[in-house]
Amino acid sequence: MTESADHKDFVRQIVEEDNASGKWNGVVHTRFPPEPNGYLHIGHAKSICLNFGIAKEYGGKCNLRFDDTNPEKEEVEYVESIKTDIKWLGFDWEDRLFFASDYFEQLYQWAEQLIKNDKAYVCSQTLEAIREGRGTPAVPGTDSPFRNRSVDENLDLFRRMRAGEFEEGEHVLRAKIDMAHKVMLLRDPIMYRIRKVEHHRTGNAWCIYPTYDYTHGQSDSLEGITHSICTLEFENRRPLYDWFCDALEIHHPQQIEFNRLNLTYTMMSKRRLLQLVNDGHVNGWDDPRMPTISGLRRRGYTPESVRSLCAQVGVTKHNATTDMVVLENQIREELNRTADRRMAVLDPVKVVITNYPEGQIENLDAVNNPEDESAGSRQVPFGREIYIERDDFMEDPPKKFFRLGPGREVRLRWAYFIKCTDFVKDDAGNISEIHCTYDPETKGGNAPDGRKVKATMHWVSADKAINAEVRLYDHLFLTEDPDEVEDESLDWKSNLNPDSLRTVSARLEPSLATATEGYRCQFERQGYFVVDKDSTDQNLVFNRTVTLKDSWTKRPDGKK
RNA sequence: AACCCGAUAGUGUAAUAGGUAACACAACAGAUUUUGAUUCUGUUAUUCCAGGUUCAAGUCCUGGUCGGGUUACCA
């Protein structure tokens, strides 16, 4: 736990030092600045928790700002989903919803100012020529032939760029810094490019769009941001962030970089997540296998569990990959405390209790949550024919197998002890029916004579059980690192898990008939499940959020 | 090759004016158990390397090694 004790991560330490020194006069103002070009994923959740969390802890504010400077990839759908996901996580930007596109005019005026101060120029080289002129990290770049245009010419050209007189690629506006700078980003970076594309907010008002580097710091500045917290890959861009704030002589926030969240068996690249969606490897951005916030929500994760993961993983400057089990443990821990227990048989095999009266049904009391007495109890119907899990019976069980087998006695949860007397196989050799006798003395699950059984098994009444579609999810990728491929002809897609979704027809105890979307419970001995939005009156659909820990199937002598 | 950043049990993190290397999860073992779950107890295992300063170095100094990032008119 990194949260325990009084430990503060290095970002919070900086904030506290600044507060102590009066650097920002005690003001703490952060922002979360997503580009609306995809759905938020759990990596963004870490940034959200950091930015909104710090603001809250230090009596500050956190803005939501959409970094929408590249109209080609941005859509309103993404804006809306991002807002939904932040709220779901439990954070609130109040009245501080901003868009970088709100600042286009100001940014443009500043660009003219830089031109007038001979700190920016219109470059008319081709994309390729600009790239070549930039050199390489080891080799200094060479000046653009347009680098020494007069201020008047630059101004004229830039205004005509805005007016739409040129085609895409004809000109760009570049900052005049140093083509030989050791930091590549400072070799006359591009500030504006011509894009004759409709913007999701500004429509066709603009045909020149500012780049990230020219936009971000100034947007922070305009909003009075004090601590501009971003991920490690922006480290190299900090000198540029600083350069623009200094050149413009405007409020200059401090950029601080932290390590992004990586999880095993998945990946966070928005580009690749989009590809999974577009190529149909998953069923949309909110597919329960996706590491998106909406996917996790649909999978059954709670906002609390996502937030506590973010608190657990810590904030450092070190590239780290967190085990997926850490996330899984968060939701197990929470749902163990809070979720109702229910009985569901995912792979049913029929059991006939030969000495139980035909046609008789009795309702038995079942505790809802042994971890929470206030959750009360419910009744489950028991009868002569029931279903149990196919895995819970073995014709020829090994010694370590505790469950049902010929001659063995087990307990049916909240019901009776039953003993297997016989079983029937179908033509294919599969067990089709198991015959047992029950001991009426053991009603409720206790033997008056004190005899013990090794296993307690879940079950449902064959007559009263309801049907449901249950979707069993597993890791999206086979390997911890999706990029780890055996040879170069393969890529990350070759590591997709073909069995990441398995759908089964299950039989559920009847109390589940009224469950509605978002209802979470534990299917005893199986895992935690949530009712999916695909559910209809005719077809109840459950998603498996996570399995229970299982020390049996992991054993070398445990099958599966 | 140049620049920036990083390196502490398997994983993620802590040790903050040099002062007994610790926590969580994982793994393993045992106890409890009407979920092979939960809970409880215990065990294993850590400072990238080499020098140096010091009574004392994860921490400071020097040199190296390894990993990540930068060489987009994306963010």
Side-chain angles (χ1 to χ4, degrees):
Chain A
M1 255 291 216
T2 56
E3 255 201 335
S4 64
D6 292 325
H7 171 254
K8 298 277 198 284
D9 58 67
F10 82 97
V11 182
R12 276 173 246 254
Q13 286 177 38
I14 290 172
V15 171
E16 290 192 3
E17 283 160 19
D18 290 347
N19 281 345
S21 71
K23 179 175 177 185
W24 307 107
N25 298 313
V27 173
V28 176
H29 205 146
T30 58
R31 100 269 93 112
F32 174 63
E35 183 188 13
N37 66 343
Y39 279 61
L40 256 28
H41 54 61
I42 191 163
H44 294 109
K46 176 173 172 178
S47 177
I48 291 168
C49 289
L50 226 208
N51 278 296
F52 281 95
I54 283 179
K56 190 171 183 183
E57 288 158 39
Y58 296 98
K61 291 176 173 145
C62 180
N63 299 354
L64 170 59
R65 180 174 72 238
F66 287 96
D67 225 331
D68 54 350
T69 59
N70 184 8
E72 287 169 329
K73 297 199 224 159
E74 296 154 6
E75 293 174 25
V76 175
E77 176 197 350
Y78 297 134
V79 172
E80 294 311 312
S81 76
I82 288 168
K83 290 199 269 191
T84 301
D85 289 346
I86 296 172
K87 283 184 195 156
W88 179 78
L89 273 174
F91 296 101
D92 186 3
W93 55 87
E94 298 170 330
D95 58 348
R96 296 178 308 280
L97 169 63
F98 301 112
F99 292 81
S101 53
D102 293 340
Y103 312 136
F104 280 175
E105 184 59 37
Q106 173 64 263
L107 257 7
Y108 175 85
Q109 293 304 329
W110 274 334
E112 285 208 353
Q113 182 186 324
L114 290 177
I115 291 171
K116 290 171 190 162
N117 292 339
D118 197 28
K119 287 181 171 168
Y121 63 99
V122 173
C123 179
S124 310
Q125 287 180 290
T126 61
L127 193 158
E128 294 72 32
I130 289 176
R131 197 171 287 164
E132 267 177 45
R134 191 141 33 216
T136 70
V139 181
T142 50
D143 285 1
S144 161
F146 304 99
R147 199 171 199 265
N148 294 313
R149 287 217 250 234
S150 71
V151 168
D152 287 345
E153 188 183 1
N154 281 322
L155 222 39
D156 175 61
L157 251 14
F158 187 49
R159 286 172 180 165
R160 288 164 60 196
M161 280 169 65
R162 176 180 183 169
E165 291 185 26
F166 306 111
E167 294 309 309
E168 291 190 11
E170 272 191 74
H171 308 284
V172 291
L173 186 72
R174 300 177 73 176
K176 193 186 278 192
I177 305 181
D178 178 0
M179 286 307 289
H181 203 105
K182 284 176 186 169
V183 178
M184 294 292 295
L185 272 314
L186 261 22
R187 321 247 258 228
D188 289 9
I190 286 159
M191 296 165 56
Y192 274 91
R193 71 281 209 195
I194 298 170
R195 279 284 174 281
K196 301 205 167 170
V197 177
E198 185 169 309
H199 185 279
H200 69 103
R201 291 190 76 246
T202 59
N204 295 304
W206 295 85
C207 63
I208 56 171
Y209 290 95
T211 57
Y212 165 87
D213 287 306
Y214 181 64
T215 307
H216 203 87
Q218 292 94 304
S219 301
D220 283 345
S221 181
L222 285 166
E223 292 174 20
I225 300 303
T226 53
H227 304 270
S228 179
I229 302 165
C230 60
T231 45
L232 249 26
E233 65 268 26
F234 291 94
E235 261 172 342
N236 294 289
R237 321 195 82 96
R238 187 173 357 112
L240 192 46
Y241 182 108
D242 292 339
W243 191 90
F244 282 122
C245 283
D246 289 343
L248 261 7
E249 298 179 300
I250 54 179
H251 167 68
H252 189 157
Q254 179 183 0
Q255 176 176 312
I256 303 166
E257 309 88 13
F258 71 97
N259 63 339
R260 115 189 345 262
L261 171 66
N262 296 300
L263 287 176
T264 55
Y265 298 105
T266 189
M267 40 78 168
M268 304 295 178
S269 157
K270 269 200 220 172
R271 208 187 81 245
R272 289 181 176 182
L273 294 178
L274 178 64
Q275 201 176 338
L276 288 176
V277 173
N278 287 342
D279 295 355
H281 291 113
V282 296
N283 304 312
W285 284 98
D286 69 344
D287 186 293
R289 290 165 290 184
M290 292 281 272
T292 51
I293 306 291
S294 52
L296 291 165
R297 175 166 61 232
R298 195 170 166 193
R299 178 76 172 256
Y301 278 87
T302 59
E304 292 79 1
S305 62
V306 175
R307 276 191 257 117
S308 42
L309 172 82
C310 294
Q312 291 245 319
V313 296
V315 177
T316 64
K317 292 180 79 72
H318 167 61
N319 286 302
T321 302
T322 298
D323 257 308
M324 185 63 97
V325 296
V326 179
L327 208 213
E328 294 172 348
N329 277 327
Q330 291 303 326
I331 194 65
R332 283 197 189 100
E333 189 274 333
E334 180 181 338
L335 263 18
N336 177 50
R337 281 185 285 112
T338 60
D340 285 340
R341 271 56 168 173
R342 291 293 182 266
M343 292 198 286
V345 177
L346 303 183
D347 185 12
V349 62
K350 185 174 278 186
V351 173
V352 180
I353 298 160
T354 53
N355 61 338
Y356 193 87
E358 227 156 314
Q360 178 174 311
I361 294 285
E362 49 183 329
N363 286 307
L364 302 167
D365 286 326
V367 170
N368 281 331
N369 184 352
E371 306 287 321
D372 177 11
E373 211 175 310
S374 71
S377 64
R378 69 196 183 280
Q379 294 205 311
V380 286
F382 181 81
R384 188 170 199 265
E385 296 195 350
I386 61 171
Y387 289 112
I388 64 166
E389 213 67 62
R390 189 164 286 277
D391 275 359
D392 283 342
F393 177 84
M394 281 182 87
E395 182 182 345
D396 186 18
K399 47 270 136 224
K400 297 288 246 175
F401 185 81
F402 299 157
R403 285 107 95 150
L404 203 58
R408 289 182 171 219
E409 185 173 51
V410 300
R411 170 167 41 232
L412 294 178
R413 183 85 151 147
W414 311 120
Y416 296 96
F417 283 15
I418 57 168
K419 185 183 254 182
C420 174
T421 54
D422 195 13
F423 60 91
V424 182
K425 282 186 177 179
D426 63 17
D427 296 340
N430 299 312
I431 308 288
S432 56
E433 200 171 281
I434 299 163
H435 294 171
C436 293
T437 57
Y438 83 116
D439 177 355
E441 297 297 309
T442 59
K443 182 169 180 175
N446 288 305
D449 64 3
R451 75 180 188 278
K452 303 281 188 203
V453 287
K454 280 195 163 164
T456 300
M457 295 168 17
H458 62 281
W459 54 274
V460 294
S461 155
D463 282 342
K464 302 292 183 184
I466 59 171
N467 293 313
E469 174 182 334
V470 177
R471 298 173 181 170
L472 304 174
Y473 294 103
D474 199 349
H475 297 144
L476 229 197
F477 290 93
L478 261 3
T479 47
E480 287 198 6
D481 175 6
D483 278 319
E484 181 194 313
V485 288
E486 287 187 5
D487 65 84
E488 287 168 15
S489 66
L490 300 170
D491 67 0
W492 57 277
K493 289 193 291 298
S494 68
N495 284 323
L496 278 164
N497 178 4
D499 299 318
S500 57
L501 167 59
R502 220 176 88 229
T503 301
V504 298
S505 293
R507 308 283 287 167
L508 317 181
E509 65 167 82
S511 71
L512 254 6
T514 54
T516 53
E517 181 185 342
Y519 172 77
R520 294 182 182 86
C521 64
Q522 180 194 103
F523 289 169
E524 293 219 35
R525 304 207 299 139
Q526 306 273 9
Y528 295 97
F529 293 75
V530 64
V531 177
D532 190 75
K533 67 176 186 184
D534 286 348
S535 292
T536 63
D537 291 343
Q538 288 74 38
N539 188 37
L540 193 56
V541 180
F542 274 89
N543 295 327
R544 182 171 69 195
T545 307
V546 67
T547 62
L548 254 30
K549 282 193 202 165
D550 183 354
S551 58
W552 162 247
T553 50
K554 284 199 304 195
R555 301 177 67 98
D557 56 345
K559 53 174 204 132
K560 241 186 194 169

